[in-house]
């Protein structure tokens, strides 16, 4: 059974609630997948991405076609499950609870309590991918993403590295994309780069609970790291 079948069952269950909202989402995740922590993490990731995407759209006030396309790049939803995903998106968007409550509850399910929890970074990367799709990171989106990172207990320094991965490399420092200080010997940069590639390899992300359906997040991240490293390598050779 695919992750979408699981999410479909989950959405049907919470849809029976007359006041479906964040409490219903979290409680359903706890009970429906009780006894299967691995499946709960995978579904929690998916639900967090969908729900927080809806909250980000509501905070920004405008959903562009580019953002819809970016959402679909991450979520390759089978046609038979599209209605359930749309229902979950609408539940989150219409809920009177603010996005901070959603982020806090989802963070607990995804493993918060450990700084820079890997899956929470995956969620933030997915939100960035959607937010930047129209070519502009709007002020409300920037506030939303920074606040979510704080709730996820991602340090400001690491948040700046995540942010840099999503900016045009003509506008940002490639050293910041790699999360290493400028001026380090190139051998150190190369060793750091290799560790990053190993850590962020799509297979590694799947192994820690990222559903296979969302490896676009991993491949986009690795592409940004590769591009930054190539700029630094080119500069080192020219020196």
């Amino acid at each position: 059974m695919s992750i979408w079948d699981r999410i479909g069952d989950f959405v049907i269950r919470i849809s029976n609630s007359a006041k479906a909202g964040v409490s219903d989402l979290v409680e359903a995740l706890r009970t429906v997948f009780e006894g299967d922590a691995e499946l709960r993490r995978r579904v929690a990731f998916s639900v967090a991405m969908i729900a927080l995407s809806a909250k980000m759209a509501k905070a920004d006030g405008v959903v562009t076609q580019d953002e819809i396309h970016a959402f679909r790049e991450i979520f390759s939803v089978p046609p038979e499950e599209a209605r359930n995903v749309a229902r979950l998106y609408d539940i989150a968007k219409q809920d009177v609870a603010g996005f901070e409550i959603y982020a806090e509850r989802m963070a607990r399910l995804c493993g918060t309590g450990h700084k820079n929890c890997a899956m929470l970074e995956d969620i933030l990367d997915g939100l960035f991918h959607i937010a930047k799709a129209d070519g502009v990171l709007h002020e409300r989106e920037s506030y939303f993403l920074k606040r979510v990172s704080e709730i996820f207990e991602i340090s400001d320094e690491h948040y700046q590295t995540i942010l840099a991965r999503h900016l045009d490399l003509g506008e940002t420092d490639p050293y910041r994309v790699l999360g290493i200080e400028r001026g380090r010997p190139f051998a150190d940069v190369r060793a750091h780069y290799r560790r990053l590639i190993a850590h962020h390899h799509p297979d590694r992300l799947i192994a820690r609970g990222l559903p296979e359906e969302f490896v676009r997040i991993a491949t986009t991240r690795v592409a940004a790291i590769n591009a930054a490293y190539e700029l630094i390598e080119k500069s080192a050779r020219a020196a």
Side-chain angles (χ1 to χ4, degrees):
M1 183 178 287
S2 76
I3 190 71
W4 296 115
D5 294 319
R6 298 291 190 177
I7 291 174
D9 293 342
F10 169 74
V11 172
I12 290 170
R13 175 160 181 160
I14 65 170
S15 293
N16 293 327
S17 172
K19 297 181 179 180
V22 62
S23 297
D24 301 85
L25 291 176
V26 173
E27 185 57 30
L29 280 167
R30 292 185 190 281
T31 57
V32 174
F33 305 105
E34 187 176 9
D36 192 338
E38 178 61 26
L39 179 59
R40 185 172 64 246
R41 279 194 297 271
R42 294 177 68 223
V43 175
F45 171 85
S46 308
V47 170
M49 277 298 312
I50 296 168
L52 288 173
S53 295
K55 284 298 184 185
M56 185 167 64
K58 185 174 182 179
D60 182 40
V62 178
V63 180
T64 68
Q65 287 300 313
D66 290 326
E67 289 171 340
I68 292 172
H69 178 69
F71 184 91
R72 289 174 177 168
E73 284 182 334
I74 297 175
F75 296 94
S76 300
V77 184
E80 64 273 16
E81 295 295 341
R83 184 176 179 180
N84 284 326
V85 172
R87 173 63 179 146
L88 178 56
Y89 188 93
D90 287 342
I91 287 172
K93 190 172 182 181
Q94 295 168 13
D95 187 11
V96 296
F99 77 88
E100 291 172 322
I101 295 176
Y102 266 76
E104 288 168 2
R105 299 286 179 86
M106 294 305 175
R108 293 174 195 169
L109 287 172
C110 292
T112 193
H114 305 283
K115 284 197 172 183
N116 295 334
C117 172
M119 187 174 285
L120 298 179
E121 180 178 346
D122 297 336
I123 293 170
L124 191 61
D125 254 341
L127 294 172
F128 262 110
H129 181 72
I130 295 169
K132 71 176 184 179
D134 59 357
V136 180
L137 193 61
H138 298 281
E139 183 178 353
R140 290 182 181 179
E141 291 171 330
S142 295
Y143 171 78
F144 179 97
L145 292 164
K146 184 65 173 70
R147 186 70 190 104
V148 168
S149 77
E150 292 168 352
I151 294 169
F152 285 179
E153 299 183 25
I154 293 173
S155 69
D156 182 65
E157 181 180 7
H158 193 59
Y159 174 79
Q160 294 302 322
T161 293
I162 296 170
L163 172 63
R165 288 202 299 256
H166 291 277
L167 297 177
D168 187 299
L169 278 178
E171 303 174 7
T172 193
D173 184 351
Y175 286 89
R176 173 157 286 180
V177 175
L178 299 186
I180 189 170
E181 62 269 24
R182 180 180 286 274
R184 291 280 292 275
F186 181 69
D188 291 353
V189 175
R190 182 172 56 233
H192 180 72
Y193 160 76
R194 289 173 175 170
R195 287 193 295 271
L196 284 178
I197 290 298
H199 178 71
H200 293 298
H201 190 280
D203 290 345
R204 180 73 66 87
L205 272 67
I206 291 171
R208 73 179 181 227
L210 184 73
E212 293 181 18
E213 291 85 350
F214 308 123
V215 293
R216 176 60 183 259
I217 293 173
T219 55
T220 300
R221 181 185 298 165
V222 168
I225 292 170
N226 281 333
Y229 176 73
E230 287 170 7
L231 281 176
I232 295 172
E233 184 181 41
K234 184 178 179 180
S235 178
R237 286 177 176 175

